[in-house]
């Protein structure tokens, strides 16, 4: 009897060991780190701007008398003006963007004076000269965004292009310095021409929404010199030496597709647990 029980117990023990050997171990599934997708803001945008420009005329010259003697205006001042414009651009990445802009410098009044002789007999006299100019500025620009701090993104930029400057007719009246009288008013036909220009910009963009950014900045615009007015009544033609515009600007940019949210976290696909294999 004891031998029978011992034999049964040994048989059960052998069977249990065999089943345990046939049971394959379950490998632990490693936890995958979350997948982070880094996206950049890119795409086309439209922009619009308005500004106030403090203009600085670099001087003006004209031919005096028989047109063989070019002299400077005694005084030449260009008054301030407004600008309005727009453009289309492309955001290359989070740090670089470019655009093509066209803006209009509204009428800036010119006040000047010259000295010479007038009247009969000839006496020393001073003329009062009045005109105005306006300009279209076509510029290709590039900007470097200097990082984003909250909703603010400061930037610096530069542009190059051309300006079509249109001078209105210049009217001048020469009066004797001793108060003896004035000559009749003389009108010189204004000139218009394209000129080389360049710009330097700095400012900050402000996030308004996912695809709208406000823009506050400063622009320095330099326009080369060119023709100013023609010949009339033994005087002229004249030319200006160019001018600078120190401009305070405000505007907005609309970025197409700017509301596409980047994928910040994407969980790894679920991997089914490995089932035990019995042999």
């Amino acid at each position: 009897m004891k031998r029978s029980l011992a034999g049964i117990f040994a048989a059960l023990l052998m069977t249990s060991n065999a089943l345990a050997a046939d049971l394959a171990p379950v490998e632990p599934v490693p936890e995958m780190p979350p997948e982070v997708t880094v996206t950049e803001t890119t795409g086309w945008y439209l922009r619009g701007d308005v500004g106030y420009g403090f203009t600085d005329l670099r001087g003006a010259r004209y031919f005096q008398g028989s047109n063989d003697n070019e002299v400077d205006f005694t005084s030449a001042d260009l008054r301030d003006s407004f600008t309005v414009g727009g453009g289309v651009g492309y955001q290359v990445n989070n740090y670089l963007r470019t655009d093509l802009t066209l803006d209009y410098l509204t009428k800036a009044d010119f006040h000047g004076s010259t000295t010479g002789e007038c009247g009969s007999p000839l006496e020393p006299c001073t003329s009062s000269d009045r005109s105005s100019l306006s300009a279209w500025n076509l510029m290709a620009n590039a900007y470097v965004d200097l990082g984003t701090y909250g909703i603010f993104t400061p930037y610096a930029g530069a542009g190059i292009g051309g300006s079509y400057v249109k001078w209105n007719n210049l009217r001048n009246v020469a009066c004797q310095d001793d108060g003896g009288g004035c000559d009749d008013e003389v009108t010189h036909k204004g000139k218009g021409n394209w000129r080389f220009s360049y710009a330097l910009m700095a400012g900050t963009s402000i996030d308004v929404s996912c695809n709208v950014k406000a823009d506050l900045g400063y622009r320095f615009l330099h326009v080369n010199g060119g023709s100013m007015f023609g010949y009339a009544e033994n005087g002229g033609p004249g030319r200006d030496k160019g001018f600078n515009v120190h401009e305070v600007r405000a505007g907005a940019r609309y970025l197409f597709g700017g509301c596409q949210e980047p994928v910040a976290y994407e969980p790894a696909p679920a991997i089914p647990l490995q089932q035990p294999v019995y042999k």
Side-chain angles (χ1 to χ4, degrees), residues 32-45:
M32 301 296 292
E35 180 180 349
V36 178
T37 303
V38 178
T39 62
E40 292 186 331
T41 302
T42 62
W44 294 97
Y45 64 84

Side-chain angles (χ1 to χ4, degrees), residues 195-211:
R195 310 173 182 192
F196 171 78
S197 57
Y198 67 85
L200 301 173
M201 293 84 73
T204 184
S205 301
I206 305 172
D207 293 335
V208 178
S209 68
C210 55
N211 58 353

Side-chain angles (χ1 to χ4, degrees), residues 2-69:
K2 291 182 178 179
R3 290 181 179 178
S4 298
L5 290 175
I8 294 173
F9 178 77
L12 289 175
L13 182 60
M14 293 175 61
T15 303
S16 175
N17 290 337
L19 290 175
D22 289 339
L23 182 59
V26 178
E27 295 291 338
V29 179
E31 183 178 353
M32 301 296 292
E35 180 180 349
V36 178
T37 303
V38 178
T39 62
E40 292 186 331
T41 302
T42 62
W44 294 97
Y45 64 84
L46 295 176
R47 69 175 301 155
D49 302 277
V50 295
Y52 185 81
F54 301 90
T55 57
D56 177 22
L57 185 66
R58 304 180 65 194
R61 295 178 64 84
Y62 71 103
F63 283 97
Q64 186 183 49
S66 61
N67 284 356
D68 61 354
N69 185 29

Side-chain angles (χ1 to χ4, degrees), residues 143-177:
Y143 312 85
V144 176
D145 291 329
L146 305 176
T148 299
Y149 307 90
I151 63 173
F152 299 97
T153 304
Y155 66 84
I160 189 172
S163 298
Y164 182 81
V165 179
K166 178 64 177 70
W167 280 97
N168 289 325
N169 293 343
L170 181 137
R171 305 176 306 278
N172 79 309
V173 177
C175 296
Q176 294 180 359
D177 294 342

Side-chain angles (χ1 to χ4, degrees), residues 39-149:
T39 62
E40 292 186 331
T41 302
T42 62
W44 294 97
Y45 64 84
L46 295 176
R47 69 175 301 155
D49 302 277
V50 295
Y52 185 81
F54 301 90
T55 57
D56 177 22
L57 185 66
R58 304 180 65 194
R61 295 178 64 84
Y62 71 103
F63 283 97
Q64 186 183 49
S66 61
N67 284 356
D68 61 354
N69 185 29
E70 189 183 39
V71 297
D72 287 325
F73 273 72
T74 304
S75 66
D77 179 62
L78 197 60
R79 302 297 170 86
D80 299 338
S81 182
F82 293 92
T83 59
V84 59
V88 59
Y90 188 78
Q91 184 83 39
V92 179
N93 53 42
N94 287 342
Y95 303 99
L96 178 65
R97 55 189 169 90
T98 63
D99 56 36
L100 183 68
T101 58
L102 177 66
D103 60 73
Y104 178 67
L105 177 72
T106 62
K107 185 178 74 170
D109 291 329
F110 168 80
H111 292 180
S113 65
T114 62
T115 57
E117 293 182 329
C118 62
S120 181
L122 293 176
E123 296 287 345
C125 63
T126 301
S127 72
S128 174
D129 301 85
R130 298 290 184 269
S131 184
S132 63
L133 67 77
S134 57
W136 288 97
N137 305 298
L138 181 63
M139 308 292 292
N141 310 290
Y143 312 85
V144 176
D145 291 329
L146 305 176
T148 299
Y149 307 90

